[in-house]
Amino acid sequence: MHYWRTRLRGLGIYAFTQAPTLGVDTQPTGVGAYVSSAPPHQCIRLASQFCGTLVHDDEGIILLVFKTYSYFERTKDSMEIRKVGVIGCGLMGSGIAQTCAQAGYETIVREVAQDFLDKGMARIQGAWDMMLQKGKINEEQARDYKNHLRGTLDTKDLADCDLVIEAVIENMEEKLRLFPALDNALKPEALILSNTSSLNITQMGAVTKRADKVCGLHFFNPAPVMKLVEIVRTISTSDETVETVRAFAKSLGKTPVVAKDTAGFIVNFLLIPYLLAAIRMYENGLASKEDIDTAMKLGCGYPMGPLTLLDYVGLDTTLWAAEALYEEFKEPLYAPSPLLRRMVNSGMLGRKSGRGFYEY
């Protein structure tokens, strides 16, 4: 028998149970005692969503009869994650770091320059300030999130991380320089994950001495909000790595899907041709940008049109993804259009630059 101690991430709620070592589908019986600073309605919601029946005693302690461990467990085929590193504090890196800190992980984010780090940390703090103003979190939670996050300019500060997620520029040469440096800096058992949206992760793992501990974990923008993550498995990635990353993703409140390491994975393999077709339609004068977006929103029920989505994703990111897909498959539908290249070369990258297909 073993005692299991698990946190409801980000809410200061802890569970203590006595149960045998568990596999993924095991459904133990027993009682977990929770001591919480979270509002009761949040406890009740989380209990009903993840665990089972909720009972209060006279001292205000929340008791829970567990139905399943499918959310909380660390399976026998996975390792425990306590400290997370994030490389890059840009739009995606800061969102990933924010997500990990909110989930209760000790999180350290590394940048190459102090001004980049300051900008990213300010973006995260601004998000928490907004959540506090809207009543989505209380002051205690805001302090707790902040206490779980710190920045650095030194890769050596990541040495004791259990898992590191790189979110640097979508450029293979840059990633191939980074991965050996991480391999040398991290402890041998640490996992190295890439947030790339389309680049070859097998190639990244091959420049390390731990290819079995390398895989993709592709978040979507904005990372704290979007529920999906893609786990990308290379031919060298071990089962333990996949299961550890799957459990980690679920602990962040995400829904993971697993894809093979082919360009575009699942989402971009399907999405990029659609976006490129919209650019070609606009470039060839077949319809106005407003009508293209309106048609897809009202005709297909999409939340936004393709040209608005391109501005949101970033035209440079879309170009890099399209180039990776075309390089691998050599299919015309993946070939970037001349207009997309010209816009990126002109610095028209979408919302992040203030101008793309629309002005912001």
Side-chain angles (χ1 to χ4, degrees):
M1 301 291 280
H2 300 276
Y3 283 96
W4 284 61
R5 179 179 184 275
T6 310
R7 183 178 182 186
L8 280 176
R9 298 288 183 185
L11 290 178
I13 308 171
Y14 290 87
F16 298 88
T17 67
Q18 189 178 29
T21 301
L22 303 174
V24 173
D25 298 323
T26 303
Q27 295 192 3
T29 58
V31 175
Y34 284 74
V35 182
S36 173
S37 60
H41 72 277
Q42 289 184 325
C43 298
I44 293 169
R45 176 178 58 80
L46 287 164
S48 63
Q49 182 177 356
F50 297 128
C51 303
T53 306
L54 190 82
V55 182
H56 293 266
D57 71 5
D58 293 337
E59 297 179 357
I61 294 178
I62 303 166
L63 300 177
L64 195 66
V65 179
F66 285 87
K67 290 180 179 177
T68 176
Y69 273 84
S70 61
Y71 181 78
F72 294 109
E73 66 183 323
R74 177 172 64 87
T75 72
K76 61 185 179 181
D77 295 323
S78 66
M79 63 177 281
E80 186 173 7
I81 303 299
R82 295 179 180 272
K83 185 174 182 179
V84 175
V86 179
I87 306 294
C89 202
L91 188 62
M92 285 305 300
S94 62
I96 294 169
Q98 176 187 336
T99 302
C100 294
Q102 287 176 193
Y105 289 102
E106 183 182 353
T107 305
I108 179 168
V109 57
R110 194 225 71 179
E111 256 296 358
V112 294
Q114 189 64 50
D115 55 340
F116 293 160
L117 182 61
D118 292 343
K119 185 177 180 180
M121 297 293 275
R123 184 184 297 113
I124 297 170
Q125 187 59 54
W128 289 336
D129 290 343
M130 182 67 69
M131 293 167 67
L132 185 60
Q133 291 174 9
K134 293 184 176 182
K136 294 183 177 180
I137 60 174
N138 57 40
E139 291 185 0
E140 183 179 352
Q141 288 172 293
R143 286 193 300 270
D144 184 60
Y145 294 167
K146 187 175 182 179
N147 290 338
H148 280 92
L149 178 66
R150 70 183 182 94
T152 184
L153 301 180
D154 192 346
T155 302
K156 294 179 181 178
D157 290 339
L158 306 174
D160 60 343
C161 287
D162 302 302
L163 177 153
V164 172
I165 306 167
E166 72 82 9
V168 302
I169 188 172
E170 196 76 332
N171 177 280
M172 182 59 86
E173 291 182 0
E174 182 66 28
K175 294 179 190 293
L176 293 182
R177 284 193 292 268
L178 174 63
F179 270 65
L182 290 175
D183 191 34
N184 292 330
L186 301 178
K187 57 188 180 183
E189 65 270 25
L191 307 184
I192 306 177
L193 314 183
S194 175
N195 181 57
T196 181
S197 61
S198 56
L199 296 181
N200 187 291
I201 297 168
T202 302
Q203 192 175 351
M204 301 177 205
V207 298
T208 73
K209 298 181 179 67
R210 62 180 87 200
D212 61 318
K213 294 179 172 61
V214 174
C215 73
L217 185 62
H218 178 216
F219 291 78
F220 292 81
N221 186 34
V225 176
M226 299 293 282
K227 295 297 183 183
L228 182 71
V229 292
E230 292 176 312
I231 299 173
V232 184
R233 180 173 194 159
T234 76
I235 58 175
S236 301
T237 306
S238 70
D239 291 342
E240 180 184 12
T241 296
V242 172
E243 291 310 312
T244 298
V245 174
R246 191 198 306 271
F248 172 69
K250 289 182 178 180
S251 77
L252 300 179
K254 305 301 184 184
T255 300
V257 294
V258 180
K260 291 183 178 180
D261 184 25
T262 54
F265 315 138
I266 297 174
V267 172
N268 280 332
F269 185 89
L270 299 172
L271 177 63
I272 294 298
Y274 160 67
L275 297 178
L276 294 177
I279 297 174
R280 294 189 191 100
M281 176 173 280
Y282 174 61
E283 185 176 18
N284 293 329
L286 301 181
S288 70
K289 59 189 176 185
E290 293 84 2
D291 284 350
I292 292 171
D293 279 353
T294 299
M296 296 310 296
K297 285 194 294 183
L298 301 185
C300 294
Y302 292 174
M304 65 178 72
L307 300 177
T308 300
L309 179 58
L310 277 158
D311 279 355
Y312 196 82
V313 170
L315 273 67
D316 52 345
T317 302
T318 304
L319 176 59
W320 294 328
E323 288 176 333
L325 284 159
Y326 186 73
E327 176 66 24
E328 180 154 342
F329 298 109
K330 296 295 190 292
E331 294 283 350
L333 75 165
Y334 295 122
S337 71
L339 176 60
L340 177 60
R341 291 189 184 278
R342 287 197 299 271
M343 292 178 73
V344 172
N345 291 338
S346 300
M348 299 168 60
L349 308 181
R351 292 179 65 94
K352 60 186 173 184
S353 69
R355 187 180 178 192
F357 287 99
Y358 300 93
E359 293 188 5
Y360 303 91

